[in-house]
Every structure is written in structure tokens, then in C-alpha cells.
Amino acid sequence: RFQQCASVGTVFRPWLDALWEDHGDAAELAGQVVVGDLNAYPDYEWPFDALTLDGEIAEAVGGPCTAVRETAPKTRGSAFVDAWLAARPGEPGSTFPNPETMDLDPARPDRIMVRGGLEVAGAWVLGCDTVENANGHSPSDHRIVVADLRYE
């Protein structure tokens, strides 16, 4: 887990910030979108602080990523917004496991993170049905998360 903190705090977020700044006038950009299985589980959300919180707030929150933040480059650019939380605050949005019959706690490792001039208009989680002739298996052990984004 420490490696995950280090990867997000010292490599991934600085790389995203550099991409953002390399385009010159950030006001001309629609925004940035990060999509993927970010391996976040109910007992381990701290690496998201490096994306969703400004540096000073992340330091105040604490957690196991604090040691990494002390050596990580200072964040630049605006923080990311979790599209699911923006569109459906208070709803679980679990994307793992699929199907629910697996003996694992529900989690939301699959995320859509946005920043810049993008507004989240809606978000949904789509299930995965079992595949015919596949012995009851689904095409993935994750569900699909979808977000509608607007640029204004």
C-alpha cells in the first residue's frame, strides 16, 4: 500500500500536472479525465487524496500516505473531482465484485476523475450479465462506471 501512495503522489499526480501545464493556457483546455481501476477499497482510499485534495488539505487529513507527501513534488493545477461522488453523493456506486454473489465486500475501485472546465452531469454503474455457455461467468469481475460530462 505504501507503494500505491508513492506511485500516485510522486509519479502519477506530478505527471498529470505537467501534462496540464505543457498545454500553456489551461483556460483553453476543456479539462483532464482519468479513468480506470485505481485499486481503491473501503479500507484504503488515501491514495485518492493526492488527486482530489489540495496539498495542504491532504496533509491535514493524514493517513498512511503522509510520509510520501513529504517527499512528493508540490501539486500544481486544480484538484480532481470524483465523477461518481459529484453526481451521486451518498450512493455507494460499487463496481466490484461482479457478480454480487462473490464472497467479497463491495468496493468502488473503478473511478472517473475530472478537472478543469468539465462538469459532471450524471453517473451510472452498469452491471455485467453472465455469458451464455461460460459456466455462469461474467465478462469481468468489475461493473462498468459511466459519466456524462459537460464543458461550459
Side-chain angles (χ1 to χ4, degrees), residues 6-79:
S7 295
V8 174
T10 64
V11 178
F12 191 53
R13 174 65 190 261
W15 178 72
L16 291 169
D17 288 345
L19 283 176
W20 185 257
E21 290 178 351
D22 284 349
H23 287 285
D25 186 5
E28 294 179 11
L29 297 176
Q32 270 185 325
V33 180
V34 174
V35 180
D37 175 356
L38 301 177
N39 290 323
Y41 294 91
D43 65 336
Y44 200 70
E45 290 268 338
W46 294 287
F48 281 102
D49 291 351
L51 295 175
T52 61
L53 300 177
D54 290 326
E56 291 178 10
I57 296 171
E59 288 175 21
V61 169
C65 293
T66 302
V68 170
R69 281 193 296 273
E70 292 171 0
T71 60
K74 294 293 182 194
T75 58
R76 303 181 315 257
S78 59

Coordinates of all heavy atoms in Angstrom, one line a residue, residues 6-79:
A6 N 3.1 6.0 -3.0 CA 4.2 6.6 -3.7 C 4.0 6.8 -5.2 O 4.3 7.8 -5.8 CB 5.5 5.7 -3.5
S7 N 3.3 5.8 -5.8 CA 3.1 5.9 -7.2 C 2.1 7.1 -7.6 O 2.4 7.8 -8.5 CB 2.4 4.6 -7.7 OG 3.4 3.5 -7.6
V8 N 1.1 7.2 -6.8 CA 0.1 8.3 -7.0 C 0.7 9.7 -6.7 O 0.7 10.6 -7.5 CB -1.2 8.1 -6.3 CG1 -2.1 9.3 -6.4 CG2 -1.9 6.8 -6.8
G9 N 1.4 9.7 -5.5 CA 1.9 11.0 -5.0 C 3.1 11.5 -5.7 O 3.3 12.7 -5.9
T10 N 4.0 10.6 -6.1 CA 5.3 11.1 -6.6 C 5.5 10.9 -8.1 O 6.4 11.5 -8.7 CB 6.5 10.4 -5.9 OG1 6.4 9.0 -6.2 CG2 6.5 10.6 -4.4
V11 N 4.6 10.1 -8.7 CA 4.7 9.9 -10.2 C 3.5 10.3 -10.9 O 3.5 11.1 -11.8 CB 5.0 8.4 -10.5 CG1 5.1 8.1 -12.0 CG2 6.3 7.9 -9.8
F12 N 2.3 9.8 -10.6 CA 1.1 10.0 -11.3 C 0.6 11.4 -11.3 O 0.4 12.0 -12.3 CB 0.0 9.0 -10.9 CG -1.2 8.9 -11.8 CD1 -1.0 8.6 -13.1 CD2 -2.4 9.0 -11.2 CE1 -2.1 8.6 -13.9 CE2 -3.5 9.0 -12.1 CZ -3.4 8.7 -13.4
R13 N 0.4 11.9 -10.1 CA -0.1 13.3 -10.0 C 0.8 14.3 -10.6 O 0.4 15.2 -11.4 CB -0.5 13.7 -8.6 CG -0.9 15.1 -8.3 CD -2.2 15.5 -9.0 NE -2.5 16.9 -9.0 CZ -3.4 17.5 -8.2 NH1 -4.0 16.8 -7.3 NH2 -3.6 18.8 -8.3
P14 N 2.2 14.3 -10.3 CA 3.1 15.2 -11.0 C 3.1 15.1 -12.5 O 3.2 16.1 -13.2 CB 4.4 14.8 -10.4 CG 4.1 14.2 -9.0 CD 2.8 13.5 -9.3
W15 N 2.9 13.9 -13.0 CA 2.9 13.7 -14.4 C 1.6 14.3 -15.0 O 1.7 15.0 -16.0 CB 2.9 12.2 -14.8 CG 2.8 11.8 -16.2 CD1 3.8 12.0 -17.1 CD2 1.7 11.3 -16.9 NE1 3.3 11.6 -18.4 CE2 2.0 11.1 -18.2 CE3 0.4 10.8 -16.4 CZ2 1.2 10.6 -19.2 CZ3 -0.4 10.3 -17.4 CH2 -0.1 10.2 -18.7
L16 N 0.5 14.1 -14.4 CA -0.8 14.8 -14.8 C -0.7 16.3 -14.8 O -1.1 17.0 -15.7 CB -2.0 14.3 -14.0 CG -2.4 12.8 -14.1 CD1 -3.4 12.5 -13.1 CD2 -2.9 12.6 -15.5
D17 N -0.1 16.8 -13.7 CA 0.1 18.3 -13.6 C 1.0 18.8 -14.7 O 0.7 19.9 -15.3 CB 0.7 18.7 -12.2 CG -0.3 18.5 -11.1 OD1 -1.5 18.4 -11.4 OD2 0.1 18.5 -9.9
A18 N 2.1 18.1 -15.0 CA 3.0 18.5 -16.1 C 2.3 18.5 -17.4 O 2.5 19.4 -18.2 CB 4.2 17.6 -16.1
L19 N 1.5 17.5 -17.7 CA 0.7 17.4 -18.9 C -0.2 18.7 -19.0 O -0.3 19.3 -20.1 CB -0.1 16.2 -19.0 CG 0.6 14.9 -19.4 CD1 -0.4 13.7 -19.3 CD2 1.2 15.0 -20.8
W20 N -0.8 19.0 -17.9 CA -1.8 20.1 -17.9 C -1.0 21.4 -18.2 O -1.5 22.2 -19.0 CB -2.4 20.2 -16.5 CG -3.4 21.2 -16.3 CD1 -3.3 22.4 -15.6 CD2 -4.8 21.1 -16.7 NE1 -4.5 23.0 -15.6 CE2 -5.4 22.3 -16.2 CE3 -5.6 20.2 -17.4 CZ2 -6.8 22.6 -16.5 CZ3 -6.9 20.5 -17.6 CH2 -7.5 21.6 -17.2
E21 N 0.1 21.6 -17.6 CA 0.9 22.8 -17.8 C 1.6 22.9 -19.1 O 1.8 24.0 -19.7 CB 1.9 23.0 -16.7 CG 1.3 23.2 -15.3 CD 2.3 23.3 -14.2 OE1 3.5 23.0 -14.4 OE2 2.0 23.7 -13.1
D22 N 1.9 21.8 -19.7 CA 2.5 21.8 -21.0 C 1.6 22.3 -22.1 O 2.1 22.7 -23.2 CB 3.0 20.3 -21.4 CG 4.2 19.9 -20.7 OD1 4.8 20.7 -20.0 OD2 4.5 18.7 -20.7
H23 N 0.4 22.4 -21.9 CA -0.6 23.0 -22.9 C -0.7 24.5 -22.8 O -1.5 25.1 -23.5 CB -1.9 22.3 -22.7 CG -2.0 20.9 -23.2 ND1 -2.0 20.6 -24.5 CD2 -2.0 19.8 -22.5 CE1 -2.0 19.2 -24.6 NE2 -2.0 18.7 -23.4
G24 N 0.2 25.1 -22.0 CA 0.2 26.6 -21.9 C -1.0 27.1 -21.1 O -1.0 26.9 -19.9
D25 N -1.9 27.8 -21.8 CA -3.0 28.4 -21.1 C -4.1 27.3 -20.7 O -4.8 26.9 -21.6 CB -3.6 29.5 -22.0 CG -4.7 30.3 -21.3 OD1 -4.9 30.0 -20.1 OD2 -5.3 31.1 -21.9
A26 N -4.1 26.9 -19.5 CA -5.0 25.9 -19.0 C -6.5 26.3 -19.3 O -7.4 25.5 -19.4 CB -4.8 25.6 -17.6
A27 N -6.7 27.6 -19.4 CA -8.1 28.1 -19.6 C -8.6 27.6 -21.0 O -9.8 27.6 -21.2 CB -8.2 29.6 -19.5
E28 N -7.7 27.3 -21.9 CA -8.1 26.9 -23.2 C -8.5 25.4 -23.3 O -9.1 24.9 -24.2 CB -7.0 27.1 -24.2 CG -6.7 28.6 -24.5 CD -5.6 28.8 -25.5 OE1 -5.1 27.8 -26.1 OE2 -5.1 29.9 -25.6
L29 N -8.1 24.7 -22.3 CA -8.4 23.2 -22.2 C -9.8 23.0 -21.7 O -10.3 23.6 -20.8 CB -7.4 22.5 -21.3 CG -5.9 22.6 -21.8 CD1 -5.1 21.9 -20.7 CD2 -5.8 21.9 -23.1
A30 N -10.4 21.9 -22.2 CA -11.7 21.5 -21.7 C -11.5 20.9 -20.3 O -12.3 21.1 -19.4 CB -12.4 20.5 -22.6
G31 N -10.5 20.2 -20.1 CA -10.2 19.5 -18.8 C -9.4 18.3 -19.0 O -9.0 17.9 -20.1
Q32 N -9.2 17.6 -17.9 CA -8.5 16.3 -17.9 C -9.4 15.3 -17.3 O -10.2 15.6 -16.4 CB -7.2 16.3 -17.0 CG -6.0 16.7 -17.8 CD -4.7 16.6 -16.9 OE1 -4.8 16.9 -15.7 NE2 -3.6 16.3 -17.5
V33 N -9.3 14.0 -17.8 CA -10.1 12.9 -17.3 C -9.2 11.8 -17.1 O -8.4 11.4 -18.0 CB -11.2 12.5 -18.4 CG1 -12.0 11.3 -17.8 CG2 -12.1 13.7 -18.7
V34 N -9.3 11.2 -15.9 CA -8.6 9.9 -15.6 C -9.6 8.9 -15.3 O -10.5 9.0 -14.5 CB -7.7 10.1 -14.3 CG1 -7.0 8.8 -13.9 CG2 -6.7 11.2 -14.6
V35 N -9.5 7.7 -16.0 CA -10.4 6.7 -15.9 C -9.7 5.4 -15.7 O -8.7 5.1 -16.3 CB -11.2 6.5 -17.2 CG1 -12.2 5.4 -17.1 CG2 -11.9 7.8 -17.6
G36 N -10.2 4.5 -14.7 CA -9.6 3.2 -14.6 C -9.9 2.6 -13.3 O -10.5 3.1 -12.4
D37 N -9.3 1.4 -13.2 CA -9.4 0.6 -11.9 C -8.2 1.1 -11.1 O -7.1 0.7 -11.3 CB -9.2 -0.9 -12.2 CG -9.2 -1.8 -11.0 OD1 -9.1 -1.2 -9.8 OD2 -9.1 -3.0 -11.1
L38 N -8.5 1.9 -10.1 CA -7.5 2.6 -9.3 C -7.2 1.9 -8.0 O -6.6 2.4 -7.1 CB -7.8 4.0 -9.1 CG -7.9 4.8 -10.4 CD1 -8.3 6.2 -10.1 CD2 -6.6 4.8 -11.2
N39 N -7.7 0.6 -7.9 CA -7.5 -0.2 -6.7 C -7.8 0.5 -5.4 O -7.0 0.4 -4.4 CB -6.0 -0.7 -6.7 CG -5.8 -1.8 -7.8 OD1 -6.7 -2.6 -8.1 ND2 -4.7 -1.7 -8.4
A40 N -8.9 1.1 -5.3 CA -9.3 1.8 -4.0 C -10.4 0.9 -3.4 O -11.3 0.4 -4.1 CB -9.9 3.1 -4.3
Y41 N -10.3 0.6 -2.1 CA -11.2 -0.2 -1.4 C -11.7 0.5 -0.2 O -11.0 1.4 0.3 CB -10.6 -1.6 -1.1 CG -10.3 -2.3 -2.5 CD1 -9.1 -2.1 -3.1 CD2 -11.3 -3.0 -3.1 CE1 -8.9 -2.7 -4.4 CE2 -11.1 -3.6 -4.3 CZ -9.9 -3.5 -4.9 OH -9.7 -4.1 -6.2
P42 N -12.8 0.1 0.4 CA -13.3 0.8 1.6 C -12.3 1.1 2.7 O -12.4 2.1 3.4 CB -14.5 -0.1 2.1 CG -14.9 -0.9 0.9 CD -13.6 -1.1 0.1
D43 N -11.4 0.2 2.9 CA -10.4 0.4 3.9 C -9.1 1.1 3.5 O -8.2 1.2 4.2 CB -10.0 -1.0 4.6 CG -9.3 -1.9 3.6 OD1 -9.5 -1.7 2.4 OD2 -8.6 -2.8 4.1
Y44 N -9.1 1.5 2.2 CA -7.9 2.2 1.7 C -8.2 3.1 0.6 O -8.1 2.8 -0.6 CB -6.9 1.1 1.2 CG -5.5 1.6 1.1 CD1 -4.8 1.9 2.3 CD2 -4.9 1.9 -0.1 CE1 -3.5 2.4 2.2 CE2 -3.6 2.4 -0.2 CZ -3.0 2.7 1.0 OH -1.7 3.2 0.9
E45 N -8.6 4.4 0.9 CA -8.9 5.4 0.0 C -7.8 6.5 -0.1 O -7.9 7.4 -0.9 CB -10.2 6.1 0.4 CG -11.4 5.2 0.2 CD -12.1 5.4 -1.1 OE1 -11.9 6.5 -1.8 OE2 -12.8 4.5 -1.5
W46 N -6.8 6.4 0.8 CA -5.9 7.5 0.9 C -5.1 7.9 -0.4 O -4.9 9.1 -0.6 CB -4.9 7.3 2.0 CG -5.5 7.2 3.3 CD1 -5.9 8.3 4.1 CD2 -5.8 6.1 4.1 NE1 -6.5 7.9 5.2 CE2 -6.4 6.5 5.3 CE3 -5.6 4.7 4.0 CZ2 -6.8 5.7 6.3 CZ3 -6.0 3.9 5.0 CH2 -6.6 4.3 6.1
P47 N -4.8 7.0 -1.3 CA -4.1 7.5 -2.5 C -4.9 8.5 -3.3 O -4.3 9.3 -4.0 CB -3.8 6.2 -3.3 CG -3.7 5.2 -2.2 CD -4.7 5.6 -1.2
F48 N -6.2 8.5 -3.2 CA -7.0 9.4 -3.9 C -6.8 10.8 -3.4 O -7.1 11.8 -4.1 CB -8.5 9.0 -3.8 CG -8.8 8.0 -4.8 CD1 -9.0 6.7 -4.3 CD2 -8.9 8.2 -6.1 CE1 -9.2 5.7 -5.2 CE2 -9.2 7.2 -7.0 CZ -9.3 5.9 -6.6
D49 N -6.4 11.0 -2.1 CA -6.1 12.3 -1.6 C -5.1 13.1 -2.5 O -5.2 14.3 -2.6 CB -5.6 12.3 -0.2 CG -6.6 11.8 0.8 OD1 -7.8 11.7 0.5 OD2 -6.2 11.5 2.0
A50 N -4.2 12.4 -3.1 CA -3.2 13.0 -4.0 C -3.8 13.6 -5.2 O -3.3 14.5 -5.8 CB -2.1 12.0 -4.3
L51 N -5.0 13.1 -5.6 CA -5.7 13.6 -6.8 C -6.8 14.5 -6.4 O -7.1 15.5 -7.2 CB -6.3 12.4 -7.6 CG -5.3 11.4 -8.2 CD1 -6.0 10.2 -8.8 CD2 -4.4 12.1 -9.2
T52 N -7.5 14.3 -5.3 CA -8.8 15.0 -5.1 C -8.6 16.1 -4.0 O -9.6 16.9 -3.9 CB -9.9 14.1 -4.6 OG1 -9.5 13.4 -3.4 CG2 -10.2 13.0 -5.7
L53 N -7.5 16.2 -3.3 CA -7.3 17.2 -2.3 C -6.1 18.1 -2.7 O -5.1 17.6 -3.2 CB -7.1 16.6 -0.9 CG -8.2 15.7 -0.4 CD1 -7.7 15.1 1.0 CD2 -9.5 16.5 -0.2
D54 N -6.2 19.4 -2.4 CA -5.1 20.2 -2.5 C -4.0 19.8 -1.4 O -4.4 19.3 -0.4 CB -5.5 21.7 -2.3 CG -6.3 22.2 -3.4 OD1 -6.1 21.8 -4.6 OD2 -7.2 23.0 -3.2
G55 N -2.8 20.0 -1.7 CA -1.7 19.6 -0.8 C -1.9 19.9 0.6 O -1.7 19.0 1.5
E56 N -2.2 21.1 1.0 CA -2.3 21.4 2.4 C -3.5 20.7 3.1 O -3.3 20.3 4.2 CB -2.5 22.9 2.6 CG -1.3 23.7 2.2 CD -1.5 25.2 2.3 OE1 -2.6 25.6 2.8 OE2 -0.7 26.0 1.8
I57 N -4.6 20.5 2.4 CA -5.7 19.8 3.0 C -5.3 18.3 3.1 O -5.6 17.7 4.1 CB -7.0 19.9 2.1 CG1 -7.4 21.4 2.1 CG2 -8.1 19.1 2.6 CD1 -8.5 21.8 1.1
A58 N -4.7 17.7 2.1 CA -4.2 16.3 2.2 C -3.3 16.1 3.4 O -3.4 15.1 4.1 CB -3.5 15.9 0.9
E59 N -2.4 17.0 3.6 CA -1.5 16.9 4.8 C -2.3 16.9 6.1 O -2.0 16.2 7.0 CB -0.5 18.0 4.8 CG 0.5 17.8 3.7 CD 1.5 19.0 3.6 OE1 1.6 19.8 4.6 OE2 2.1 19.2 2.6
A60 N -3.4 17.8 6.2 CA -4.2 17.8 7.4 C -5.0 16.6 7.6 O -5.2 16.1 8.7 CB -5.1 19.0 7.3
V61 N -5.4 15.9 6.5 CA -6.2 14.7 6.6 C -5.3 13.6 7.2 O -5.8 12.7 8.0 CB -6.8 14.3 5.2 CG1 -7.3 12.9 5.2 CG2 -7.8 15.3 4.8
G62 N -4.1 13.5 6.8 CA -3.2 12.5 7.3 C -3.4 11.2 6.6 O -3.7 11.1 5.5
G63 N -3.1 10.1 7.3 CA -3.2 8.7 6.7 C -1.9 8.2 6.4 O -0.8 8.9 6.5
P64 N -1.8 7.0 5.9 CA -0.5 6.3 5.6 C 0.2 7.0 4.4 O 1.4 6.7 4.2 CB -0.9 4.9 5.2 CG -2.3 5.0 4.8 CD -2.9 6.1 5.6
C65 N -0.4 7.8 3.6 CA 0.3 8.5 2.5 C 1.1 9.7 3.0 O 1.8 10.3 2.1 CB -0.6 8.8 1.4 SG -1.3 7.3 0.6
T66 N 0.9 10.1 4.2 CA 1.6 11.3 4.7 C 3.1 11.4 4.5 O 3.6 12.3 4.0 CB 1.2 11.6 6.2 OG1 -0.2 11.6 6.3 CG2 1.8 12.9 6.7
A67 N 3.7 10.2 4.7 CA 5.2 10.2 4.6 C 5.6 10.4 3.1 O 6.6 11.1 2.8 CB 5.7 8.8 5.1
V68 N 4.8 9.9 2.2 CA 5.1 10.1 0.8 C 4.9 11.6 0.4 O 5.7 12.1 -0.3 CB 4.2 9.2 -0.1 CG1 4.3 9.6 -1.6 CG2 4.5 7.8 0.1
R69 N 3.9 12.2 0.9 CA 3.6 13.6 0.6 C 4.7 14.5 1.0 O 5.0 15.6 0.4 CB 2.3 14.1 1.2 CG 1.1 13.6 0.4 CD -0.2 14.3 0.9 NE -0.5 14.1 2.3 CZ -1.3 13.1 2.7 NH1 -1.8 12.2 1.8 NH2 -1.6 12.9 3.9
E70 N 5.5 14.1 2.0 CA 6.6 15.0 2.5 C 7.7 15.0 1.5 O 8.4 16.0 1.4 CB 7.1 14.5 3.8 CG 6.1 14.6 5.0 CD 6.5 13.9 6.2 OE1 7.6 13.3 6.3 OE2 5.7 14.0 7.2
T71 N 7.9 14.0 0.6 CA 8.9 14.0 -0.4 C 8.4 14.2 -1.8 O 9.2 14.4 -2.7 CB 9.7 12.6 -0.3 OG1 8.7 11.6 -0.6 CG2 10.3 12.4 1.0
A72 N 7.1 14.2 -2.0 CA 6.5 14.3 -3.3 C 6.6 15.8 -3.8 O 6.5 16.7 -2.9 CB 5.0 13.9 -3.3
P73 N 6.6 16.0 -5.1 CA 6.6 17.4 -5.6 C 5.2 18.0 -5.2 O 4.2 17.3 -5.0 CB 6.6 17.2 -7.1 CG 7.1 15.8 -7.3 CD 6.7 15.0 -6.1
K74 N 5.3 19.3 -4.9 CA 4.0 20.0 -4.6 C 3.0 19.9 -5.8 O 3.5 20.0 -6.9 CB 4.3 21.5 -4.3 CG 5.1 21.7 -3.1 CD 4.3 21.3 -1.8 CE 5.1 21.6 -0.6 NZ 4.6 20.9 0.6
T75 N 1.8 19.7 -5.5 CA 0.8 19.6 -6.5 C 0.6 21.0 -7.2 O 0.7 22.0 -6.6 CB -0.6 19.1 -6.0 OG1 -1.0 20.0 -5.0 CG2 -0.4 17.7 -5.5
R76 N 0.3 20.9 -8.5 CA 0.1 22.1 -9.3 C -1.2 21.9 -10.0 O -1.6 20.8 -10.3 CB 1.2 22.3 -10.3 CG 2.6 22.4 -9.6 CD 3.7 22.6 -10.6 NE 3.7 21.9 -11.8 CZ 4.4 20.8 -12.0 NH1 5.3 20.4 -11.1 NH2 4.4 20.2 -13.2
G77 N -1.9 22.9 -10.3 CA -3.2 22.8 -11.0 C -4.3 22.4 -10.0 O -4.0 22.2 -8.8
S78 N -5.5 22.4 -10.5 CA -6.6 22.1 -9.7 C -6.7 20.7 -9.3 O -6.2 19.8 -10.0 CB -7.9 22.6 -10.4 OG -8.1 21.9 -11.6
A79 N -7.4 20.4 -8.2 CA -7.6 19.0 -7.8 C -8.7 18.4 -8.7 O -9.5 19.0 -9.3 CB -8.1 19.0 -6.3

